[in-house]
Amino acid sequence: MNVTEKPEVIATDFPDHTQLPDSDGTFVKNFQEHPQSILLTTSIRPILDRIHPDGQYCIGQDSGIYWRVAQPPEPPEKGAEAPDWFYVPDVPPTLDGNLRRSYVMWRELMPPLIVLEFVSGDGSEERDRTPRKGKFWIYERIIRPAFYGIYEVKKAKVEVYHLVEDRFELAPQNNRGHYPIAQIGVELGIWQGVYQGVELPWLRWWEASGTLLPAAEERAEQAELAAEQAQFEAEQERQRRIEAELRIQALEARLRELEGE
């Protein structure tokens, strides 16, 4: 019997991020998604930069995570999920000097630590457990982030699932109503307030101590206020020195008058 050996398939035989679409051609679902992603990214970057002094991490915003090679006549993007926000530790932010177009799991194998979906409908898409099709099933069984968050702005809530062995379990909230992400020392929760001129229940990060992590614009505003306060205090100190000097001069003049009598 003649046995025909099949050629060995290795990772290099599969497409990389430059060969796969970086968009599925759909619109961003609503106007909040972009500022929400910016808020999450700019507020947590100082924490991640401290955790990764070598800069080896990446953040995806509405970017594809390719988990399988789609078979024709399927379009390539059918082999991907595109979370609204995700973070992968210990991988370079660029490949061959180029920004990532997508995250291709068969090229790098490192799963995201956290994946976040922003609900625009009723949340059924984000909770779909249909094998090999549903978002929840694909995240839980294939992509396997340590944490999967489903954020529903209309309900002002977020629920976070933690991967335990091979299944997602709903994570408990702490006494502040936040979800601790112990691996990076932060908490995730809902903050009711104004960001970029819009008041909404925004999804935000806190330090483990409970201190809200400011976004880039908020840090700039805080720095400006601190500079103005420092300038104000310096001016007050200058005025105090001038007033003290005038009092001394007045006392010296009075002393000379008394000595001359």
Side-chain angles (χ1 to χ4, degrees):
M1 179 186 301
N2 293 327
V3 177
T4 302
E5 294 186 2
K6 293 183 179 180
E8 182 181 2
V9 178
I10 57 177
T12 54
D13 296 321
F14 292 94
D16 64 17
H17 73 116
T18 65
Q19 300 164 309
L20 293 164
D22 60 355
S23 172
D24 61 3
T26 60
F27 290 110
V28 173
K29 297 182 181 67
N30 60 63
F31 280 82
Q32 189 204 359
E33 288 190 9
H34 184 61
Q36 176 63 80
S37 294
I38 292 174
L39 174 56
L40 288 169
T41 297
T42 62
S43 58
I44 203 171
R45 273 207 184 276
I47 299 292
L48 299 182
D49 288 341
R50 186 168 68 242
I51 294 173
H52 304 282
D54 57 0
Q56 297 297 288
Y57 71 91
C58 74
I59 290 174
Q61 299 177 167
D62 199 29
S63 301
I65 299 178
Y66 278 87
W67 58 278
R68 70 180 178 93
V69 179
Q71 300 300 314
E74 287 185 311
E77 58 268 22
K78 286 297 184 180
E81 289 297 331
D84 293 297
W85 195 94
F86 65 93
Y87 151 68
V88 188
D90 303 318
V91 297
T94 60
L95 295 175
D96 300 322
N98 298 312
L99 288 174
R100 295 174 179 274
R101 291 166 52 87
S102 54
Y103 190 75
V104 183
M105 294 202 64
W106 58 79
R107 289 278 171 171
E108 305 193 64
L109 306 181
M110 177 69 72
L113 178 72
I114 183 166
V115 163
L116 299 174
E117 289 280 3
F118 309 156
V119 173
S120 290
D122 61 3
S124 58
E125 180 183 354
E126 291 74 17
R127 298 178 176 88
D128 188 350
R129 300 170 186 256
T130 305
R132 301 191 67 80
K133 292 183 179 180
K135 275 184 183 287
F136 195 100
W137 190 93
I138 291 169
Y139 288 140
E140 179 184 56
R141 305 299 299 276
I142 306 296
I143 297 176
R144 299 174 62 79
F147 296 93
Y148 173 41
I150 301 173
Y151 164 53
E152 297 186 79
V153 64
K154 293 179 181 178
K155 296 181 180 180
K157 64 174 287 191
V158 60
E159 60 187 43
V160 175
Y161 294 87
H162 184 203
L163 189 67
V164 179
E165 295 184 354
D166 63 346
R167 291 292 186 274
F168 279 148
E169 293 185 2
L170 189 62
Q173 296 178 330
N174 62 16
N175 56 7
R176 288 186 285 269
H178 301 159
Y179 295 95
I181 312 296
Q183 291 89 331
I184 51 178
V186 299
E187 299 175 356
L188 184 68
I190 298 296
W191 174 79
Q192 182 72 38
V194 177
Y195 177 68
Q196 293 194 2
V198 180
E199 180 168 358
L200 285 172
W202 297 94
L203 187 61
R204 299 202 61 164
W205 305 106
W206 282 260
E207 294 181 10
S209 63
T211 302
L212 184 68
L213 289 173
E217 306 97 308
E218 294 167 332
R219 290 197 298 273
E221 183 178 345
Q222 289 172 0
E224 183 178 352
L225 290 174
E228 291 176 356
Q229 180 65 24
Q231 184 177 2
F232 175 74
E233 292 176 355
E235 179 61 22
Q236 283 189 318
E237 180 61 27
R238 189 179 74 85
Q239 290 295 332
R240 283 194 292 268
R241 288 199 301 268
I242 290 173
E243 292 170 0
E245 182 65 26
L246 290 174
R247 286 196 297 270
I248 291 172
Q249 291 176 4
L251 288 172
E252 289 176 344
R254 178 58 179 160
L255 182 60
R256 286 194 296 270
E257 290 177 1
L258 293 173
E259 290 175 347
E261 292 180 356

